[in-house]
Amino acid sequence: MRFGVVVFPGSNCDADCYHVIKDVLQEEVDYIWHKESQLGAYDAIILPGGFSYGDYLRTGAIARFSPIMPAVIDFANRGGLVIGICNGFQILLEAGLLPGAMLRNQSLKFICDTAYLKVKRNDTPFTNQLAAGQLMKVPIAHGEGNYYCDEATLEELRRNNQILFTYSNAAGEDSPDFNPNGSIANIAGIINKEGNVLGMMPHPERCSEEVLGGTDGVNIFVSMVKSFQEVIQRCKN
Amino acid sequence: MLKANVYVTLKEGVLDPQGDAVKKSLHVLEYQGVKEVRIGKFIEVCLESKDKESALRELEEMSDKLLANPVMEDYRVEIVEVE
Amino acid sequence: MLKANVYVTLKEGVLDPQGDAVKKSLHVLEYQGVKEVRIGKFIEVCLESKDKESALRELEEMSDKLLANPVMEDYRVEIVEVE
Amino acid sequence: MQELNYREMGLLDEEYEKIKEIMGREPNYLELSIWAVMWSEHCGYKNSRPLLKTFPTEGPRVIQGPGENAGIVDIGDGQALVFKIESHNHPSAIEPYQGAATGVGGIVRDIFTMGARPIASLNSLRFGNIEDARVRELFAGVVAGIGDYGNCLGIPTVGGEVYFNPSYQGNPLVNAMCVGLVNSDEIALAVASDVGSPLMLVGAKTGRDGIHGATFASEELSEKSQQKRPSVQVGDPFMEKLLIEACLQLIKEDLVAGMQDLGAAGLTSSISESASKKGRGVEIDVLKVPRREKGMTPYEIMISESQERMLIVPRAGKEKRIKEIFDTWGLDAVVIGQVTDDGMFRVFEGKKMVGEVPNAELTAGCPVYVRAGQEPSYYQECKRFDIDALPEIKIGEALQKLLGSPNIASKRWVYSQYDYQVMTNTSIIPGNGDAAVLRIKGTDKGVAMTTDCNSRFVYLDPYQGGMLAVCESARNLACVGARPLALTNCLNFGNPEKTHIYWQMQESIKGMAAAAKNLNTPVVSGNVSLYNETAAGAIYPTPVVGMVGLLPDIKHRVDMSFKDEGDIVVLLGRLRDELGGSEYLAVCHGVESGAVPVVDLDEEKKLIELSLELIGKDMLKSCHDISEGGLAVALAESAIKGNIGFKVNIEGQKGRADKTLFSEAPGRVAVSLERDKLPELTAMANNKEIEVHVIGQVEGSNICINKGNQHINMAVCDAAKIWGEAIECHMK
Ligand SMILES: Nc1ncnc2c1ncn2[C@@H]1O[C@H](COP(=O)(O)OP(=O)(O)O)[C@@H](O)[C@H]1O
Ligand SMILES: [Mg+2]
């Protein structure tokens, strides 16, 4: 499977994602410079975390006009797997690939910590290696992870089962008491209706190796590989 | 040359944690009369253009595309000065 | 009740990396006419007060103390509405 | 502007005379300001240079000692660590957010200037009393500034320290350290080489930022300097991130002969210093410098401290490729001058020469002052302070107070604002061990780093205090399993023209040098910040030590938390009872006095070796050094971190319980291990002549300590609450 990691000026988790795909999963991976206007033959695209364009004006607002973005949007619309992590999630929102917007954390402070995530469904290309209801321990690090959308959109997210991860405590309660940033309905990650585009604030690439204190995150990338292999298998049959 | 101001404000109903924090601080400083604070952006733009009308249109376009996020923000454009 | 706007802007000469980034992005979006962008804050305050004069003084005080950072920012207060 | 004379620029009468003598005439205004910034303490180290010479700077692992932008040590496999610590005290006092942010930006530039990729940041912070609203504002601003800048760069901020003490009330300290990783064959040095080589300026445009920053940093903070307030330097971390990537690419492709960041005194010092290395001259045209503001004078351009700028000397014929690379990153690169052969530093404004100064004298000619220090009277008085005359208070209450003291309490409020995991190397995160540990991708190795200085000790006894700072750093590294390699330091003191301040400097440097020599941790870089005084007096002398260490195999690392019921708790080192200068005296008795615990360097060294051996053999489950708050606090922290209790009984030590439990005497660590490993541990410790005290075991959910007829019994969760929330509560 071939992954592409898009590098915007100011991306800073690009190398971390690259490392997990290449050295941990041992799959193929390339960097894609934001000034490219075409995507090569990729099976999945990662929009990494960081501070694209310094996060100036609004997170993701400037990056979404990068020359590569029309190709990414096209790739997503054709059903390609796209995962946006942290700043990548913010860019997906600004680009309209996912609904909603990102506000500053309720505390008004950047927060670096480890959060418990509750996996809401496992019938997606990103969570097939996980169980529904399972808890994951995943690092978070963001100043603007306070996900916002209006009531109607939230209703729709719920109706379509688009909420993939919520913040919870160690006992799996995802009530507002265990919400690190104020995001609506404790949302930590959502997918699009079609299920091929994921945006999440937590950083799975930071917990994909034992030496970093946990490996819960690697399951998301492994899920992507599994789902890709299944598609290939189906095509063969 | 032409100067314009763009005011970007959070939509009504969108929580403004920063505004709330400032309000609380003002209360601590004993400005009890402060009932609400909302914090938006004040963007000053210098534009090479002679025509107010077309400049206004252009600025509205910029705001729609980049300066404001329609999901959570409103904006208002004002031409202040023409040289 | 009284409504006021406080405009907080960077002092002349103080670097505004945010404004520069926005300007560059506008150029990429082909708004070549944009010569400068400076980004400040637009603060809306609701105040329980009937007296415009004293409200203005109070808001200036708040700005000096909290709303603006005197080391690098200027501000302007404007009373917009009295009910 | 022109009416400012040399005194207001910070030059002494005799210095001005010397300048006139060198030049054979009166300098013009531009020339005078060039002299003034280059001969300021900040750039010229005129009060500290002779003292700094006494540091040990060599060792088998040292690739680069002091004198370059940062020091370098070998970590094997053709890799090296590049590191340095630097102060940004005065700018942070004026504008805490931007001051701290640009402090991070500056030290990061020092690291990648040498061709290294920055892999971690640390910071050492000192503020006045946290009860004070202005102090909280400074504290919050500084932490946010450090966080936002480093987070945006994607460099993890993995460690540091924060202390509160009234001596820093009007003069906070903000010291930032950065560590970089480099392949030894890709190290870049700041050398302006061949005559005719162009000088390229890249990065941000030049504005009127921080004009007079360098001279300003060398003066006491006073009403007058408030007026002379430099226009604030604003940081642009986004620009810096692009600079890092672009500059590292230049070095990978071997395109540069020299590279120099623009720090204090801006263009003036970077140009002058890069040319001085080979006795060359330089000429530059200020009109070629991209400016942000209109109407800037040559003087303003030459000494502006606008951030995020680099000076580059290309290898012959490589200019085009260099421009291409900067273009990719959306950065401008402009030729502003060239290297000449006659040793003169010339400034042109277009065709017109507006200043001409001999470069060698500007750098090497800076006057040096060897002053006479004098022992102040407080020193002997404090030493004689009679601790036995103080009432003995309940140790349980004392422990509670100590856990809630901002100097001991959890610093989570601080480090949760720092991205400490970006780059996916951080293996021991802030708060979990005595030092941060990072893996080196593609190897089995790990590196560890820490900053330390107990300035109360240094104040009470600069010589012992200097040794203690170095020992604590080395011990902290050993506690996670890392062998201490080398250190950097930031010497924060008051006005050196005062004899007792100079004495503090002399003595503490003597102590640091002795410890560094004994522990084989040479000094490879550092920074000096003097004149840290206000009308209320000088800060406590604060020579901050930053140290790096190496774990040959990161599998063998250990943190500070107790793990399993039934593990035994052991004190390695002596039971001691010196209380002088302790946090206990300050917090529970309101006293900052007493004789500072005596350091035994040989013992410290043996303890470090023992800890490394034990951790290397995977014998320890936890390891935590004894420092602020003493044995009781160290044990409580291990319990809180592990969320498990312990029961400890202290025997074999007569005398007051508070002395035994709260003494901050060095050379000790508290460890936990499986009971059946005890015989082996004892044998290994005997070998090293280190005492072993089996004092209890990990059990239950309470902190239980018995000493004579005094007892502590406190639920771990209660202790965790006090310790965990103390700073947060203040900052709400
Ligand atoms: N300014 C800071 N920046 C980053 N981390 C910090 C800072 N201050 C404290 N820490 C972290 O908090 C933890 C506890 O700090 P401290 O009490 O000074 O530990 P110790 O005395 O064991 O060195 C350490 O991991 C330290 O690195
Ligand atoms: Mg310490």
Side-chain angles (χ1 to χ4, degrees):
Chain A
M1 181 174 185
R2 198 150 159 243
F3 285 79
V5 177
V6 179
V7 182
F8 299 96
S11 293
N12 65 31
C13 304
D14 44 345
D16 304 353
C17 293
Y18 185 97
H19 165 73
V20 169
I21 303 299
K22 181 154 186 275
D23 301 325
V24 182
L25 266 61
Q26 313 219 324
E27 296 287 338
E28 283 174 70
V29 57
D30 295 318
Y31 291 117
I32 304 169
W33 184 234
H34 72 115
K35 279 185 187 162
E36 303 290 325
S37 54
Q38 305 215 317
L39 282 181
Y42 291 104
D43 305 310
I45 296 297
I46 301 179
L47 302 189
F51 288 72
S52 56
Y53 294 92
D55 268 3
Y56 292 136
L57 193 65
R58 292 184 311 280
T59 57
I62 301 180
R64 83 106 155 163
F65 290 109
S66 281
I68 194 66
M69 282 309 289
V72 171
I73 292 171
D74 187 55
F75 178 79
N77 288 340
R78 285 187 288 113
L81 290 184
V82 177
I83 175 171
I85 300 168
C86 199
N87 194 231
F89 185 12
Q90 295 159 339
I91 295 168
L92 290 174
L93 294 174
E94 285 281 341
L97 279 173
L98 291 170
M102 218 46 99
L103 297 170
R104 274 181 83 175
N105 293 349
Q106 199 143 36
S107 65
L108 300 176
K109 287 197 197 66
F110 188 94
I111 171 167
C112 184
D113 204 347
T114 296
Y116 285 97
L117 302 188
K118 191 163 182 170
V119 181
K120 298 301 238 189
R121 14 180 322 207
N122 66 349
D123 58 339
T124 78
F126 306 99
T127 51
N128 57 47
Q129 298 300 298
L130 297 152
Q134 183 179 337
L135 285 184
M136 303 168 71
K137 254 174 105 171
V138 186
I140 54 171
H142 55 251
E144 311 203 6
N146 183 351
Y147 177 80
Y148 167 82
C149 64
D150 60 25
E151 271 306 314
T153 310
L154 182 61
E155 247 335 285
E156 200 179 318
L157 287 176
R158 286 193 165 126
R159 201 168 45 240
N160 299 327
N161 264 325
Q162 284 174 257
I163 301 174
L164 197 52
F165 304 114
T166 52
Y167 297 109
S168 83
N169 66 354
E173 300 164 80
D174 50 359
S175 83
D177 293 345
F178 311 111
N179 182 334
N181 53 29
S183 68
I184 207 161
N186 276 38
I187 285 174
I190 55 174
I191 51 174
N192 63 348
K193 241 183 263 169
E194 295 73 21
N196 63 313
V197 177
L198 164 65
M200 63 188 297
M201 286 315 291
H203 287 275
E205 78 279 13
R206 296 187 182 185
C207 55
S208 291
E209 293 161 275
E210 212 47 80
V211 69
L212 303 178
T215 56
D216 285 358
V218 80
N219 294 320
I220 290 177
F221 301 108
V222 174
S223 293
M224 292 171 76
V225 175
K226 278 275 155 20
S227 112
F228 172 74
Q229 286 165 348
E230 271 162 30
V231 172
I232 297 287
Q233 203 56 47
R234 240 179 291 143
C235 291
K236 275 194 194 145
N237 294 345
Chain B
M1 194 67 95
L2 184 152
K3 254 197 78 184
N5 294 338
V6 182
Y7 304 85
V8 179
T9 50
L10 282 175
K11 280 204 164 113
E12 232 187 275
V14 176
L15 229 60
D16 179 11
Q18 199 184 357
D20 288 344
V22 168
K23 182 176 78 180
K24 276 193 203 126
S25 300
L26 288 173
H27 289 175
V28 172
L29 292 175
E30 314 251 306
Y31 298 105
Q32 300 297 343
V34 174
K35 290 302 156 209
E36 204 187 338
V37 179
R38 304 275 289 175
I39 302 188
K41 290 183 188 123
F42 175 60
I43 309 179
E44 297 169 284
V45 183
C46 285
L47 203 63
E48 207 151 68
S49 164
K50 292 229 162 54
D51 177 26
K52 268 187 148 184
E53 278 304 299
S54 72
L56 195 65
R57 262 203 318 277
E58 218 177 26
L59 281 156
E60 282 175 351
E61 240 179 69
M62 294 180 210
S63 303
D64 281 329
K65 277 197 204 158
L66 179 70
L67 302 180
N69 177 343
V71 176
M72 55 181 190
E73 292 169 330
D74 291 323
Y75 67 87
R76 184 163 58 81
V77 180
E78 180 186 85
I79 308 280
V80 277
E81 216 179 82
V82 199
E83 265 171 41
Chain C
M1 192 67 93
L2 186 152
K3 253 197 80 186
N5 294 337
V6 183
Y7 304 85
V8 179
T9 49
L10 284 173
K11 283 204 165 117
E12 222 188 285
V14 173
L15 178 69
D16 179 12
Q18 173 156 240
D20 286 345
V22 170
K23 180 177 80 181
K24 279 197 197 126
S25 178
L26 288 171
H27 288 174
V28 172
L29 292 175
E30 314 249 305
Y31 298 105
Q32 300 297 344
V34 174
K35 290 301 154 207
E36 204 186 339
V37 178
R38 303 276 287 175
I39 302 188
K41 284 186 194 128
F42 173 61
I43 308 180
E44 297 168 283
V45 183
C46 285
L47 202 64
E48 207 149 69
S49 164
K50 291 230 163 53
D51 177 26
K52 267 185 149 186
E53 277 304 299
S54 73
L56 195 64
R57 262 202 319 276
E58 219 179 26
L59 281 155
E60 282 175 351
E61 245 180 64
M62 296 180 208
S63 303
D64 281 329
K65 281 196 204 159
L66 182 73
L67 302 180
N69 174 352
V71 179
M72 45 195 289
E73 291 171 332
D74 289 326
Y75 66 87
R76 185 164 57 82
V77 180
E78 180 187 87
I79 308 279
V80 276
E81 215 180 81
V82 200
E83 265 170 41
Chain D
M1 220 31 117
Q2 293 289 352
E3 69 274 11
L4 261 179
N5 68 20
Y6 63 87
R7 278 191 207 149
E8 277 167 323
M9 287 183 181
L11 290 170
L12 301 173
D13 291 1
E14 62 262 35
E15 290 169 346
Y16 184 63
E17 287 308 316
K18 192 168 165 202
I19 289 166
K20 278 199 299 194
E21 197 188 304
I22 292 169
M23 295 190 64
R25 63 177 167 87
E26 298 250 338
N28 67 26
Y29 187 78
L30 171 66
E31 291 161 345
L32 184 59
S33 48
I34 290 176
W35 286 107
V37 292
M38 291 305 292
W39 283 14
S40 68
E41 179 60 39
H42 199 86
C43 294
Y45 290 92
K46 54 191 175 188
N47 288 296
S48 50
R49 227 184 313 163
L51 297 176
L52 297 180
K53 286 222 173 84
T54 62
F55 280 139
T57 59
E58 279 165 18
R61 285 192 182 267
V62 176
I63 296 177
Q64 176 67 55
E68 276 285 338
N69 285 300
I72 309 181
V73 290
D74 184 16
I75 56 165
D77 308 321
Q79 294 177 311
L81 289 183
V82 179
F83 64 103
K84 184 177 183 211
I85 190 166
E86 202 165 70
S87 70
H88 229 213
N89 303 336
H90 290 77
S92 304
I94 307 268
E95 213 313 289
Y97 181 92
Q98 294 295 345
T102 52
V104 173
I107 192 65
V108 166
R109 281 194 295 285
D110 273 329
I111 301 308
F112 72 78
T113 298
M114 310 217 47
R117 176 164 293 275
I119 58 165
S121 288
L122 299 94
N123 53 93
S124 173
L125 312 177
R126 302 285 190 292
F127 301 96
N129 190 336
I130 197 171
E131 312 277 344
D132 183 282
R134 173 63 188 157
V135 166
R136 288 196 298 270
E137 211 176 290
L138 281 172
F139 177 36
V142 163
V143 169
I146 289 172
D148 286 356
Y149 201 99
N151 297 347
C152 186
L153 290 184
I155 300 171
T157 305
V158 298
E161 40 174 7
V162 188
Y163 286 96
F164 301 89
N165 183 286
S167 82
Y168 304 104
Q169 191 70 16
N171 196 318
L173 300 185
V174 176
N175 292 180
M177 171 168 163
C178 185
V179 182
L181 180 67
V182 71
N183 291 329
S184 307
D185 57 1
E186 288 175 356
I187 293 167
L189 300 178
V191 182
S193 44
D194 303 337
V195 173
S197 291
L199 298 170
M200 291 174 101
L201 181 63
V202 301
K205 290 188 169 48
T206 300
R208 292 192 175 90
D209 314 57
I211 286 185
H212 269 321
T215 43
F216 180 78
S218 309
E219 264 174 50
E220 291 177 34
L221 277 179
S222 63
E223 286 297 319
K224 212 165 115 215
S225 57
Q226 294 280 341
Q227 284 163 21
K228 202 161 82 181
R229 183 147 62 200
S231 66
V232 184
Q233 310 160 23
V234 172
D236 181 357
F238 174 54
M239 173 72 82
E240 178 117 332
K241 168 75 176 157
L242 303 183
L243 272 180
I244 295 177
E245 300 304 333
C247 290
L248 290 181
Q249 199 173 338
L250 296 190
I251 286 166
K252 276 263 175 290
E253 295 187 21
D254 195 21
L255 304 172
V256 296
M259 191 148 94
Q260 175 72 42
D261 62 302
L262 274 70
L267 271 173
T268 297
S269 81
S270 67
I271 288 185
S272 159
E273 274 163 24
S274 56
S276 73
K277 292 264 154 60
K278 278 196 182 171
R280 305 280 193 225
V282 274
E283 52 185 40
I284 90 150
D285 177 1
V286 293
L287 293 185
K288 298 217 173 101
V289 175
R291 281 147 290 162
R292 201 172 75 227
E293 295 176 67
K294 292 206 181 74
M296 290 182 72
T297 64
Y299 153 80
E300 288 173 318
I301 295 168
M302 287 309 292
I303 66 167
S304 156
E305 296 191 353
S306 289
Q307 301 289 299
E308 291 94 18
R309 298 179 298 165
M310 299 284 288
L311 189 74
I312 287 178
V313 187
R315 283 206 191 288
K318 300 295 185 191
E319 276 166 75
K320 188 159 155 278
R321 177 64 191 140
I322 289 176
K323 279 211 161 117
E324 266 170 27
I325 289 175
F326 282 114
D327 190 54
T328 313
W329 290 98
L331 297 168
D332 296 327
V334 203
V335 174
I336 58 164
Q338 59 173 340
V339 179
T340 62
D341 62 356
D342 65 356
M344 296 303 280
F345 181 154
R346 287 196 192 87
V347 182
F348 287 86
E349 188 177 26
K351 291 234 150 53
K352 187 171 134 219
M353 189 169 78
V354 290
E356 184 183 35
V357 176
N359 196 47
E361 279 83 353
L362 202 52
T363 48
C366 179
V368 171
Y369 300 111
V370 182
R371 301 182 185 278
Q374 198 185 338
E375 186 184 295
S377 55
Y378 81 78
Y379 173 59
Q380 293 299 340
E381 275 164 36
C382 288
K383 266 192 156 174
R384 283 194 300 267
F385 181 84
D386 180 14
I387 290 165
D388 290 318
L390 292 172
E392 215 179 330
I393 60 175
K394 288 217 174 81
I395 56 175
E397 276 165 32
L399 179 60
Q400 279 196 12
K401 275 198 184 152
L402 283 169
L403 290 173
S405 155
N407 288 340
I408 285 178
S410 167
K411 305 300 185 295
R412 187 172 177 280
W413 186 87
V414 176
Y415 61 72
S416 67
Q417 295 183 59
Y418 302 154
D419 188 342
Y420 48 76
Q421 283 172 308
V422 63
M423 295 185 100
T424 58
N425 295 323
T426 318
S427 189
I428 294 189
I429 62 173
N432 284 4
D434 281 324
V437 174
L438 278 72
R439 58 115 171 240
I440 303 286
K441 284 195 183 101
T443 74
D444 293 330
K445 287 181 300 196
V447 290
M449 48 204 78
T450 178
T451 66
D452 296 279
C453 175
N454 182 327
S455 65
R456 192 187 288 134
F457 283 167
V458 184
Y459 171 76
L460 293 173
D461 190 334
Y463 179 68
Q464 293 289 330
M467 285 201 286
L468 283 162
V470 174
C471 288
E472 182 175 355
S473 270
R475 197 186 322 125
N476 280 345
L477 293 177
C479 281
V480 296
R483 174 170 296 283
L485 296 181
L487 69 86
T488 181
N489 68 96
C490 191
L491 303 173
N492 305 274
F493 290 89
N495 180 350
E497 294 156 35
K498 298 179 182 165
T499 55
H500 74 283
I501 302 281
Y502 197 76
W503 173 83
Q504 291 173 345
M505 278 172 70
Q506 268 178 320
E507 291 297 304
S508 56
I509 288 173
K510 213 191 282 172
M512 291 165 80
K517 187 149 187 272
N518 205 289
L519 300 179
N520 297 323
T521 51
V523 178
V524 297
S525 59
N527 178 247
V528 177
S529 171
L530 305 180
Y531 302 93
N532 289 291
E533 299 202 6
T534 62
I539 59 161
Y540 272 179
T542 315
V544 173
V545 174
M547 204 181 276
V548 299
L550 179 65
L551 296 89
D553 187 344
I554 196 171
K555 271 206 309 288
H556 307 297
R557 65 180 185 278
V558 70
D559 63 23
M560 65 163 76
S561 61
F562 286 153
K563 305 284 184 312
D564 299 301
E565 191 92 25
D567 287 345
I568 51 169
V569 177
V570 174
L571 172 71
L572 296 175
R574 288 179 286 141
L575 282 163
R576 295 176 67 169
D577 61 7
E578 299 107 302
L579 269 185
S582 63
E583 188 71 9
Y584 166 75
L585 285 192
V587 168
C588 298
H589 296 278
V591 170
E592 296 193 52
S593 190
V596 163
V598 174
V599 183
D600 178 338
L601 289 176
D602 287 329
E603 182 186 53
E604 191 75 57
K605 194 168 164 182
K606 286 179 193 154
L607 177 80
I608 288 170
E609 289 302 330
L610 174 63
S611 307
L612 290 176
E613 266 179 35
L614 289 168
I615 296 170
K617 287 184 145 186
D618 271 334
M619 304 226 339
L620 304 184
K621 286 209 187 154
S622 74
C623 185
H624 189 15
D625 87 310
I626 289 161
S627 59
E628 283 87 6
L631 176 61
V633 165
L635 295 173
E637 284 176 344
S638 290
I640 291 168
K641 279 287 163 186
N643 194 21
I644 189 165
F646 65 85
K647 195 166 201 170
V648 154
N649 233 319
I650 310 236
E651 289 151 8
Q653 175 89 337
K654 293 200 198 73
R656 287 168 61 157
D658 58 352
K659 288 191 173 182
T660 308
L661 292 177
F662 304 122
S663 164
E664 297 173 8
R668 292 130 24 103
V669 298
V671 305
S672 68
L673 63 156
E674 280 169 20
R675 188 171 290 276
D676 57 12
K677 297 221 166 102
L678 182 60
E680 194 180 349
L681 174 133
T682 309
M684 287 164 70
N686 285 344
N687 243 333
K688 292 261 173 335
E689 297 165 315
I690 296 291
E691 288 182 20
V692 175
H693 298 269
V694 180
I695 52 177
Q697 66 171 357
V698 176
E699 71 169 61
S701 54
N702 277 25
I703 291 172
C704 299
I705 303 177
N706 297 315
K707 164 78 176 74
N709 56 0
Q710 283 242 52
H711 313 284
I712 296 175
N713 190 347
M714 188 190 302
V716 173
C717 60
D718 292 339
K721 203 169 154 59
I722 297 171
W723 178 82
E725 293 175 5
I727 290 187
E728 228 137 313
C729 285
H730 281 291
M731 298 309 291
K732 271 217 181 93

